[in-house]
Amino acid sequence: AQKVTQAQTEISVVEKEDVTLDCVYETRDTTYYLFWYKQPPSGELVFLIRRNSFDEQNEISGRYSWNFQKSTSSFNFTITASQVVDSAVYFCALNEEGRRALTFGSGTRLQVQP
Amino acid sequence: GAGVSQTPSNKVTEKGKYVELRCDPISGHTALYWYRQSLGQGPEFLIYFQGTGAADDSGLPNDRFFAVRPEGSVSTLKIQRTERGDSAVYLCASSLLGGASSTQYFGPGTRLLVL
């Protein structure tokens, strides 16, 4: 069975600080896909990134970066120089090959104070 | 282009009533999903459609919940004899294809409150 754990329930930082959101996953499959979504106060889930299990290269997109480590089953998300607009709930999700349903973690609420 | 849309945005009903929630996916997307999100939790899968057929309904909690997608586009989630425990945000998502690698794009959700 697949499972995603986001141990950090809530994080509060001051603007311009760097922050890392942790995600640990469990799966028995060798082929799987990992996702991060952002859910701002408006409620709509916004897709951020997708990685497959065969690509462990870290990815950077502007102030966002992702660190995928199969050895520790982790897919962590770092925001550099955080901004108030980054305040949201962030979800990590997993999908195994052959399945259709995403399994989400319980989310991390990030508050960026000005 | 337009994203996934859902109506209504909010629905208040009384225990025991019937409700319908509508989802309009991104044009051209063949796969459609329904999830339910309770306060402080991540979304939980309900049902998946590939085209017109429900390919996986394993997440539906009981037989009071039913969903259709008759023409392979718009979908309706139907809840009979609503209970207070059904109160949640119901999210719809669509993807171009239905594979595990396909990115699911979500709508704004319908917030259902059962009194």
Side-chain angles (χ1 to χ4, degrees), chain B residues 4-64:
Chain B
V4 177
S5 62
Q6 293 185 245
T7 55
S9 52
N10 291 282
K11 177 70 177 179
V12 181
T13 191
E14 293 179 346
K15 180 172 177 282
K17 299 288 189 183
Y18 167 83
V19 297
E20 289 190 352
L21 312 179
R22 176 189 166 109
C23 172
D24 207 333
I26 294 172
S27 178
H29 279 195
T30 63
L32 185 145
Y33 314 78
W34 284 97
Y35 290 81
R36 180 167 71 174
Q37 186 176 21
S38 300
L39 196 61
Q41 300 297 318
E44 293 181 324
F45 170 74
L46 294 176
I47 188 170
Y48 155 70
F49 286 90
Q50 182 60 51
T52 60
D56 183 354
D57 64 358
S58 61
L60 294 177
N62 52 59
D63 61 6
R64 296 186 298 104

Side-chain angles (χ1 to χ4, degrees), chain B residues 64-76:
Chain B
R64 296 186 298 104
F65 288 75
F66 189 70
V68 296
R69 194 186 185 200
E71 297 178 359
S73 178
V74 171
S75 175
T76 304

